[in-house]
Amino acid sequence: MRKRLQNITSTINTLAALLVLLVIWQAVCTLGIVPGYMLPSPVQVVKAFAEDFPLLMSHLRVTLAEAFLGLFCGVAFGFGMAVLMDRFERLYKAVYPLVVLTQTVPTVAIAPLLVLWFGYEMLPKVILIVITTFFPITVGVLTGLRSADPDTMNLLRSMGADRFQIFCYVKLPGAMGQFFSSLRISAAYSVVGAVISEWLGGFSGLGVYMTRVKKAFAFDKMFAVIFLISVISLLLMKLVDYLQKKCMPWEDAHE
């Protein structure tokens, strides 16, 4: 009960802060402190969102398809790499620096090359999302696997457990918290990565929509799609929280 009350209070405080920011934003635009062509008011943004709602939803379906496919592939690839690097020390020493190196190259610099190599369809977008999302999963899962309690593992070995049983009963449950923490980051990155890839080439998607309205100087529509992307990212993170509670019920039991 106490935890639920704290969550409600935290939500109310967040909504109150957001409401204050919106009121200040509306006041700044109404008083003409910032020209309307530079900063549309929240009312203008809501109107633009309502007017273009069907078009936004059609573009959103494309972006979400790219994001989910790329996220799935990135999570699978990252999880597999983490398990292999935990199992084989030589592979860890050889591959881990390369995994870190992939994150030093800006995605904006990679995207044009992917479009050049693979065209304007979905494939280059998915590849970019995989590059963006697999790193947090790899690092998080690998950290969780390597932080397993050695005493527990030695106890299972003394009872005749093999590597697979130790992985299933000790390492994997211990790494689940790190996995879901990384998945939250990757879920948010997947949408952003899809939009960035669409900026540089494509026929539909929120990134393509943003490029078109930017060229038309329709900044109210720009803000509308920005807020839509933010809401989608927050919803995906909440979905990960829900999955974590379902997959890790023992966490709630300890609270």
Side-chain angles (χ1 to χ4, degrees):
M1 184 66 183
R2 183 178 179 182
K3 181 186 176 184
R4 182 175 298 177
L5 183 61
Q6 289 175 345
N7 291 336
I8 294 173
T9 304
S10 177
T11 303
I12 292 174
N13 291 335
T14 302
L15 293 176
L18 180 60
L19 180 62
V20 169
L21 287 175
L22 291 175
V23 170
I24 295 174
W25 180 6
Q26 182 66 42
V28 167
C29 296
T30 303
L31 297 174
I33 298 175
V34 179
Y37 64 86
M38 293 180 61
L39 181 66
S41 68
V43 174
Q44 291 174 313
V45 173
V46 172
K47 288 182 179 178
F49 182 83
E51 290 174 358
D52 272 16
F53 182 78
L55 183 59
L56 282 170
M57 293 301 102
S58 66
H59 284 293
L60 177 62
R61 282 194 292 269
V62 176
T63 300
L64 287 180
E66 297 166 353
F68 280 121
L69 182 57
L71 179 62
F72 175 80
C73 295
V75 170
F77 179 65
F79 191 91
M81 285 298 301
V83 172
L84 290 174
M85 284 192 288
D86 177 67
R87 174 64 181 84
F88 303 103
E89 185 66 23
R90 289 185 179 179
L91 181 65
Y92 167 77
K93 293 179 179 179
V95 174
Y96 190 78
L98 298 178
V99 172
V100 175
L101 185 63
T102 61
Q103 303 306 298
T104 62
V105 181
T107 54
V108 178
I110 300 175
L113 295 175
L114 295 176
V115 172
L116 178 65
W117 294 336
F118 301 105
Y120 293 96
E121 299 298 332
M122 184 179 289
L123 181 59
K125 282 87 168 174
V126 172
I127 293 174
L128 184 66
I129 296 167
V130 171
I131 294 173
T132 306
T133 57
F134 91 95
F135 179 76
I137 298 295
T138 302
V139 174
V141 174
L142 182 61
T143 301
L145 293 175
R146 295 206 155 203
S147 62
D149 185 16
D151 293 334
T152 305
M153 291 191 292
N154 290 332
L155 176 62
L156 287 182
R157 289 192 188 99
S158 67
M159 298 172 66
D162 56 24
R163 289 181 182 273
F164 182 73
Q165 290 173 320
I166 292 174
F167 175 81
C168 291
Y169 295 113
V170 180
K171 287 195 168 188
L172 185 59
M176 291 295 286
Q178 293 278 3
F179 168 73
F180 282 108
S181 297
S182 303
L183 186 58
R184 289 188 195 92
I185 300 172
S186 295
Y189 281 2
S190 65
V191 179
V192 176
V195 173
I196 290 175
S197 64
E198 290 165 352
W199 283 350
L200 301 170
F203 304 104
S204 57
L206 293 179
V208 175
Y209 174 87
M210 290 181 72
T211 303
R212 292 173 180 171
V213 298
K214 181 186 70 173
K215 291 180 179 178
F217 297 98
F219 293 114
D220 52 347
K221 296 180 180 180
M222 279 283 291
F223 274 88
V225 73
I226 288 171
F227 281 116
L228 178 60
I229 293 169
S230 300
V231 170
I232 294 300
S233 298
L234 289 174
L235 290 176
L236 287 176
M237 295 175 70
K238 289 295 183 182
L239 177 60
V240 173
D241 290 338
Y242 174 78
L243 291 176
Q244 182 175 5
K245 290 180 180 180
K246 291 298 182 180
C247 296
M248 302 177 63
W250 60 86
E251 289 290 326
D252 291 333
H254 289 308
E255 295 177 353

